[in-house]
Each structure stands twice: as structure tokens, then as C-alpha cells.
Amino acid sequence: MSIRVDAIRKRFGDFVALDDIEIDVATGQLAAILGPSGCGKTTLLRIIAGLETPDAGRVFLLGREATELPVQKRRVGFVFQHYALFRHMTVFDNVAFGLTVRPRRERPARAAIRAKVEELLGLVQLDWAAARRPAQLSGGQRQRIALARALAVEPEVLLLDEPFGALDTQVRQELRRWLRRLHDALHFTSLFVTHDQQEALEVADAVIVMRRGRIEQRGTPAEVYDRPATGFVHRFVGSSNELAAERRGGALLVGPLPPIASSGPDGRFSIVVRPQDLGLSRGGGGWPGRVVAVRAIGALVHVEVQLEGAGPDPVVAEFSRERFRHEGYAVGDAVFVTPARFGVYPPEELS
Amino acid sequence: MSTTARSLPFPTRRPRRVLPGFGLTLGYTLLYLSLVVLVPLTATLVKTAELGWGEFWTVVGAPRTRAALALSFSAAALAALINGVAGFVVAWVLTRYEFPGRRLIDALVDLPFALPTAVAGIALTALYAPHGWLGRLLAPLGVTIAYTRAGVVVALIFVGLPFVVRTVQPVLEELDREVEQAAATLGAARARIVARIVLPSVWPALLTGFALAFARGIGEYGSVIFIAGNMPMVSEIAPLLIVTRLEQYEYPAATAIAIVMLSISFFVLLGINALQGWSQRRLGPGGA
């Protein structure tokens, strides 16, 4: 195990930031910690890097205990959301920094440093920018420099804190795919923190979902998406519709709508169902409703349906363009809605 | 569309200023500067002109004048240099650590600004005199501060400290801690981070603080004359010499020394300014 965190606890005053956290990231993996802001994900990453001290628990890097090791000795690469470049230095000096601050005995020769920096700048496709200063580069370019700087010291693990959080959508997408390719080419172990589920699902081998200082679920992106362990994960990962319901004697009731069969204890619950799992039909069974909006979003079409007598918000059903053209719903149509796959959770699991 | 656009002359419109009032504020600035700075300086120059070149050089070139000027500038430079180091440390402690009494120390820093300089001078003299609290401790070591050149430097350190602290402190507060953390993850030890990351970032502010403390030191009078002993050729500062000349009704001679002090100060400060501009540019846009 490349990164192992054992029973980590951390509190800031009365606020419990991390409550008994355990994670394992296997060598060569690219793992993502996913969660809303304030869930403790960044604190956890900073504890692994040694930038923060845990109140209890232990950190292992490459199987060796690192809990007491100072930041300088942990050999972790850390990439900050806002780049944290040295703005008074050129791009070249930024990347070379980790090598030039080594004690004289361990410091590579000047020519070796130059070669290493040039290689890294080539790798991040910014060899032309060596003499520039960070302020002269765009956000995406700066983050690539920050990455090259972190890689210069040949870290054993790479930690990235919302690395693409400050960039616009297009650059984010480009950069995260590029990071994935880089990761595959260089075989380091990486752990990155994000609040963007799309980013986590697209890039990571393993996803750890956090909420309020605890881990909700860990697994591959497919597991987390297809088999959410809790209502929170179901709602947070991917988009979803949420309906308040009541279960009585094996029947789920959403307001006055026709009941659907569901086994389990009686009580109040929340139904979470993804837009693509919501079926529409013009006749037959299901919940009756009326189409209130149709929105074409790229290759997909969202049909919003107001269910009769249930909740103020319409539910969203998702179609491919092809299927939508075939079915051809329009605003005002009377339709029936059937949830094909859904989750039933206690309401408090969602908040 | 593009064909018709090509035939049209490129439109030119005088850009409107977003912030109005340039004329008014510039006029006010020039008037104010003239009244407060330029007119008195011109008067000094006119008064000096009552001396011929020959007399001017006799006054300025006199050994006593040269010694006083040398002492004033070297003591001010040395004091500003010491304040540069000490002021940085004080600002560092005040911005980086939480400790009981931090507020109090923060307020104490401003005291030399507020205290009448004569009071400071008398207090320092009492402390460093051979029988004072500190002078008594230093005497066995063969160190005398009061009534020597060292006394001049001590007084100038006292009055100059707040300039450095107050210019460096806000910049240190603004520094992005993540940049230092980034350096730490790259293996840089604390001292190296200060030397290679923190110092270059506060350097322009430190230079400003140095320049202010230096300028203040050159002109300082009240606190120095009590502790210096004012022996001609040894511990007499140039401002005191000017006052002496004034008391002897030798106004042109007094202004002649003043003109020399002004010229030297002007060029030194100009040089520091240039250095500061250069280091500021090195920090890049948005630099501290």
C-alpha cells in the first residue's frame, strides 16, 4: 500500500473535521477523495502531506510510518488549488527549486538539474516558457508548472488539492485527461481531492466519498455510481431526482400517486432516482403527470414532468437525442412516469 | 459585411477617463507640493546664494562640516541597516505567532513615532550614561554609548524602528502561506524558505522601510543631541551644526550645509527608489 491512513481524527475547536478515517491507496493507483466543501477532504490530504498534524491516528507512506515525519522528509508532491508558484522566480527556477534546495552533498550538478528541468518542462509542454514568470502564464499553464515542480523531486506519492478547481470547464477537462495520461505514463501513486463528481468519475481508479468528516463509501467509479451505499452518495454522485415518500406494508407512497412495491420497515423515506432511470410513457401504469419543459443539452434531452399532486418541483427524465426524436414529447403532454431503478433511504441520510 | 467594413476608415474616438477629476487633482497636487516643499527649498537655495562659490566651498569643505555630514549619513545608514534586520524580526513575530501580549507589543512599536524626540533623547541618555541602568552594565566591558558616536546610532535606531516594522508588517501578513508550504513539500528547510521565498517577497517593502528610517535618521535632531555629547569633529551631527550656525546668525552658512544634506539625501533616496522599482518589477504584476 502506497498511502495508508489509520484511524485519523482531527478537530478544530468544537468542529470535528475528521472522525476515524481509514483509507488505502494501492501503488500506482490514481484515487480521488470526493465530497462537498467542508467535509474534511482537504484536511485529510494536508495531514497525509504533513502540512497538518492529526489529533490521533497514523499515516503510512510506502508501508513506512510517516506520522512523525516533517513535511520536508515525506517525499510527497503537493499541488495546490491556487498553484502556489514562486512568483519572483522564473518558471525554470520554480521547477528547479526542489533540487536546488537540497543540501550540497545530495544536490545534483548544475547540468543535471538543467537537464531534469528541461525534461519536465517538455513533459508538461511548456518548454517555451522557461524564462517567463508565473504571472505571464494562464491558469492552466501555471497548474502544469506547479505539477512539474512537484514532480522534479521524484516524489513517492503525488497529492493534489482541487488541482483544477480554479480553471474554466474547457481547460479543466483537457487538463484532467492529460493528468490521467501522465499518471499512466509515469506510474506514480496519486491522491486528489475534488468536489466535482464528474472529475472523480472520469479520472480516478478509486473513489472515496466523504461527508462531514466520515467516509461514506469507497470503490471504483462504477461501483460508487451504480451501487451507492448511502442516500448521500446516491444524490451526490451523478444527478438525481429526490421524492419524499412513506412506506406502509410493503407499498411506497409518494403523495396521492399510485403506490409502488418496496419491501422494508414502515416509515418516512426519500426516493432517489437518476434521470436516465425514469421511464416515460403515454399510456399504461405509473405516476401520472404533465410535461412542463423540454431542454436539449448537447447529446441529451431533459424532459421535466410535474407529477400530479406530488411536490412543488418537477422530476427530470433523461433521453438520448435518438430516443427523444422517436418518442417526441412536447410541453403540455399528459404522461406516465415509472422509476426503473431507484434507492430508498432514510431522509436524514441525504442532508 | 466585411467588404463594406473595409472601405470605412477605422474609427477613432478619444477614450473617456473612467475616473474623472485628473485635472483638478493634479493641479491641487502641484500647488500643495509647491507650498509645502518647493517654496521652502527654493528659499533655502536663495539664502545660500548669498554666499559666493568660494565661500560656499569654505563652509562646506571645512573639516568640522565634513565630519558632521559624514557622521550624520553614516550613523543614519548604520541605524537603518540595523533596523532593517531588527524590524523584520519584530514584524515577523507580530504577524506569524499568536501569543499573549502581542497586541501590546504591536502598540509599543508606534511609541517612537508619538514620543517627543527630546524625551526619547533624555531617556536614552539616562539609560546609557556611565551610571545609568544599561551604561553601568556596559562600562565593565569597556563599552560606552552615551556621549559617543555609538550614542548617535542608538538614538537613530530608536526613532527609526517603527518605519521598518510598519512597512514590512502588512506585506508579511499578505504573503500566501501556501507558497511557503509548497516550498516545504519540496524539501526546503525553514531557514531556506525564509531566505529564498519570504525575503524576496518582502524585499521591496524592506527597502522602503530602510529608506524611510534612513531619511528620518539624517534629519533627526531632538533625540540625538542629548545622547551624542556633540563634540565637534567627533560626535556632532550635521543638523546640530546647522542650528549652531543659525544661533550665530550665519544664515547662509547654515543653509549651505542644508543644501548639501538635501542633495545627498535626494540622490540616495532616488537610488533606493530605483532599486525598489527594480525589485518590484522582479516580483511581477500584482507584486507586493
Side-chain angles (χ1 to χ4, degrees), chain B residues 157-179:
Chain B
I157 290 174
F158 178 81
V159 297
L161 181 70
F163 290 96
V164 179
V165 178
R166 289 297 180 240
T167 45
V168 171
Q169 200 177 357
V171 178
L172 271 180
E173 255 159 24
E174 289 283 299
L175 274 192
D176 184 3
R177 302 297 288 270
E178 283 192 349
V179 173

Side-chain angles (χ1 to χ4, degrees), chain A residues 149-345:
Chain A
R149 179 180 70 176
L151 292 177
V153 291
E154 292 171 2
E156 283 156 0
V157 301
L158 187 63
L159 305 172
L160 307 104
D161 183 13
E162 300 263 6
F164 314 124
L167 306 169
D168 36 295
T169 324
Q170 199 97 43
V171 182
R172 284 175 86 109
Q173 274 184 359
E174 234 168 76
L175 219 53
R176 69 191 184 213
R177 285 178 196 150
W178 173 80
L179 175 70
R180 179 72 236 194
R181 287 199 299 275
L182 194 72
H183 177 92
D184 292 337
L186 297 185
H187 303 293
F188 40 76
T189 306
S190 329
L191 180 61
F192 79 101
V193 152
T194 180
H195 64 267
D196 181 344
Q197 40 103 8
Q198 191 92 41
E199 196 164 287
L201 296 183
E202 189 178 319
V203 179
D205 302 312
V207 178
I208 298 152
V209 185
M210 279 184 70
R211 171 199 180 212
R212 292 187 192 162
R214 293 178 150 275
I215 290 175
E216 291 272 301
Q217 187 175 6
R218 60 197 106 202
T220 64
E223 281 166 5
V224 170
Y225 187 84
D226 295 331
R227 291 193 294 282
T230 66
F232 174 80
V233 177
H234 198 155
R235 207 184 52 162
F236 192 74
V237 180
S239 50
S240 54
N241 295 292
E242 212 181 305
L243 295 160
E246 205 179 336
R247 183 155 52 200
R248 251 184 275 146
L252 262 182
L253 295 162
V254 179
L257 295 168
I260 37 179
S262 160
S263 57
D266 289 0
R268 303 201 146 274
F269 289 93
S270 284
I271 299 179
V272 180
V273 51
R274 299 202 191 284
Q276 69 270 28
D277 293 334
L278 218 47
L280 292 193
S281 62
R282 292 189 187 276
W287 296 328
R290 198 166 287 279
V291 176
V292 291
V294 174
R295 302 181 202 285
I297 302 163
L300 301 172
V301 178
H302 282 180
V303 178
E304 294 183 13
V305 178
Q306 181 65 56
L307 295 172
E308 265 169 34
D313 296 323
V315 292
V316 178
E318 190 176 270
F319 291 90
S320 67
R321 280 259 170 146
E322 288 297 306
R323 247 193 77 203
F324 181 77
R325 212 171 293 143
H326 185 71
E327 315 244 339
Y329 294 105
V331 175
D333 287 0
V335 290
F336 289 92
V337 178
T338 345
R341 274 158 28 109
F342 57 90
V344 180
Y345 306 100

Side-chain angles (χ1 to χ4, degrees), chain A residues 89-101:
Chain A
M89 297 182 194
T90 62
V91 163
F92 183 95
D93 290 337
N94 263 278
V95 177
F97 185 84
L99 299 171
T100 56
V101 294

Side-chain angles (χ1 to χ4, degrees), chain A residues 46 49 51 71-72 76 78 80-82 84-89 93-94 97-98 100-102 107 133 135 149-150 153 161, chain B residues 175-176 178-190 192-193 196-198 200-201 281-288:
Chain A
R46 291 172 59 85
L51 294 171
V71 209
Q72 285 89 348
V76 296
F78 201 98
F80 295 84
Q81 179 176 4
H82 298 289
L85 291 175
F86 311 131
R87 63 180 181 199
H88 59 285
M89 297 182 194
D93 290 337
N94 263 278
F97 185 84
T100 56
V101 294
R102 287 197 183 160
R107 198 184 308 161
R133 288 189 194 283
R149 179 180 70 176
V153 291
D161 183 13
Chain B
L175 274 192
D176 184 3
E178 283 192 349
V179 173
E180 288 163 56
Q181 290 169 354
T185 63
L186 292 167
R190 198 78 202 122
R192 247 177 211 282
I193 295 174
R196 291 205 43 191
I197 308 297
V198 177
S201 301
R281 270 193 304 283
R282 272 194 41 190
L283 275 181

